[in-house]
Amino acid sequence: MLTHLTTHFTLYLFDEMPKPKKKGRKHDTWVLFLFLQVIERDAMRAPFPRFDLVVANIPYRISSPLVIKLVYGATPFRSATLLLQKEFARRLLTCPGDSGGFNRLSANVKLVADVELVMDVSKRDFLPSPKVDSSVVIIRPKHQIPNVDLHEWRSFTRTCFSSNRNKTLGALFKLKGKVFELFKISNGNDECSLHKGDEVQDEGGLTSFKEKIIGVVRTGGFEDKRPAKLSLQELLHLLSLFNQAGIYFNHRGRHKIEDTFDTDDE
């Protein structure tokens, strides 16, 4: 008698691999059917199907965009076990105040997921030997995340971490380019701004807007602080203060349903 044990799991492979064949015997046995679906497409361009677990040795050049696509994607999952370049893994694991420096990648990932270091893997364990050491990490999405617009958050962290990490927030938000960029975005988000006339667009309007930005940073107690030293809670609080003052970092409503995942989270 042949008894079939059918699983509820489907294995998705973004690669080319021969399909397994079903085998059975005449005597009593169990045959485990594993549903295998090969997706011969670029993992960064193809939409992910529904999945529960990820186990992957990925090309190191796509580490950042792939991790962001996983943790900010629309598909909930249990965990992702990834072999990454050791240096990149350490950047994922950094915390505010660490000698390696808290960074945008770590802030964006840790907002929505927990990262655990499993083990380091020496380059000598591979044949042929690569040029860098590796690490295995497990990424687990958080069950609850802060109530924040994730598009706004990622644009905010891009602004905070885009300059020299030793620059204070007070100095960062006095930069003319930053002020003008936020001025355009924030007025684009304000429906009334389209009807305020030339007064909003003149130098006086820009100066007033700069004073508003500095006022938020100063009254919030962030003027002399550096982004790499702030906790997630402090960064979220600063973003909330900016938004309450009508200062925004992302063109709300203009992003697509499926966000783009590129290397700008580095």
Side-chain angles (χ1 to χ4, degrees):
M1 181 178 70
L2 182 66
T3 304
H4 301 291
L5 177 62
T6 304
T7 73
H8 293 285
F9 298 98
T10 301
L11 178 62
Y12 298 102
L13 294 176
F14 284 86
D15 202 349
E16 186 174 356
M17 179 177 290
K19 296 181 180 180
K21 297 180 180 179
K22 302 175 184 178
K23 295 182 179 180
R25 300 179 183 270
K26 293 183 179 180
H27 54 79
D28 290 352
T29 186
W30 291 92
V31 176
L32 178 66
F33 287 100
L34 180 66
F35 296 97
L36 176 65
Q37 179 179 344
V38 179
I39 303 175
E40 296 184 73
R41 293 186 60 187
D42 184 339
M44 290 310 305
R45 297 180 180 275
F48 285 164
R50 293 190 61 84
F51 63 91
D52 187 46
L53 297 171
V54 177
V55 180
N57 174 11
I58 63 176
Y60 289 167
R61 68 181 183 277
I62 66 168
S63 296
S64 179
L66 182 61
V67 167
I68 293 298
K69 182 174 181 178
L70 284 171
V71 298
Y72 280 89
T75 302
F77 64 98
R78 194 195 318 171
S79 69
T81 303
L82 305 175
L83 181 68
L84 304 169
Q85 184 176 338
K86 183 177 180 179
E87 180 183 359
F88 180 85
R90 291 300 185 271
R91 293 180 57 219
L92 277 178
L93 293 161
T94 56
C95 297
D98 284 356
S99 57
F102 197 45
N103 53 80
R104 184 181 181 227
L105 174 70
S106 181
N108 285 347
V109 172
K110 288 188 174 182
L111 181 76
V112 296
D114 295 313
V115 184
E116 174 190 351
L117 174 65
V118 178
M119 62 184 295
D120 292 327
V121 183
S122 171
K123 58 187 176 183
R124 294 186 295 272
D125 293 332
F126 295 90
L127 190 65
S129 178
K131 296 181 179 180
V132 297
D133 293 323
S134 303
S135 297
V136 178
V137 303
I138 299 179
I139 300 174
R140 298 183 179 92
K142 293 180 178 178
H143 296 297
Q144 292 185 334
I145 64 173
N147 183 22
V148 61
D149 184 317
L150 296 180
H151 295 276
E152 178 75 3
W153 166 259
R154 289 181 62 200
S155 297
F156 169 69
T157 57
R158 182 189 298 114
T159 298
C160 289
F161 291 98
S162 61
S163 298
N164 188 320
R165 65 187 182 91
N166 290 321
K167 190 183 291 292
T168 65
L169 288 167
L172 173 66
F173 285 104
K174 289 178 182 177
L175 295 175
K176 186 174 182 180
K178 296 287 186 186
V179 173
F180 185 64
E181 178 184 1
L182 296 179
F183 178 74
K184 292 191 297 180
I185 293 174
S186 298
N187 281 283
N189 287 330
D190 181 0
E191 295 180 0
C192 297
S193 68
L194 298 177
H195 307 287
K196 289 179 181 178
D198 296 337
E199 181 181 354
V200 175
Q201 304 299 330
D202 64 13
E203 188 66 25
L206 188 60
T207 301
S208 176
F209 185 78
K210 179 179 179 179
E211 292 173 353
K212 182 192 292 188
I213 293 177
I214 299 303
V216 169
V217 175
R218 182 173 297 144
T219 57
F222 293 99
E223 188 173 20
D224 297 324
K225 295 184 178 181
R226 293 169 173 80
K229 302 295 183 181
L230 298 182
S231 66
L232 285 176
Q233 290 71 25
E234 289 175 312
L235 287 169
L236 285 165
H237 179 55
L238 177 57
L239 175 58
S240 176
L241 293 178
F242 275 127
N243 289 170
Q244 290 174 20
I247 301 167
Y248 298 94
F249 295 80
N250 180 70
H251 291 282
R252 293 178 295 170
R254 296 188 184 183
H255 47 256
K256 299 178 181 179
I257 296 178
E258 292 188 5
D259 197 0
T260 56
F261 305 94
D262 50 41
T263 56
D264 70 355
D265 282 86
E266 287 283 4

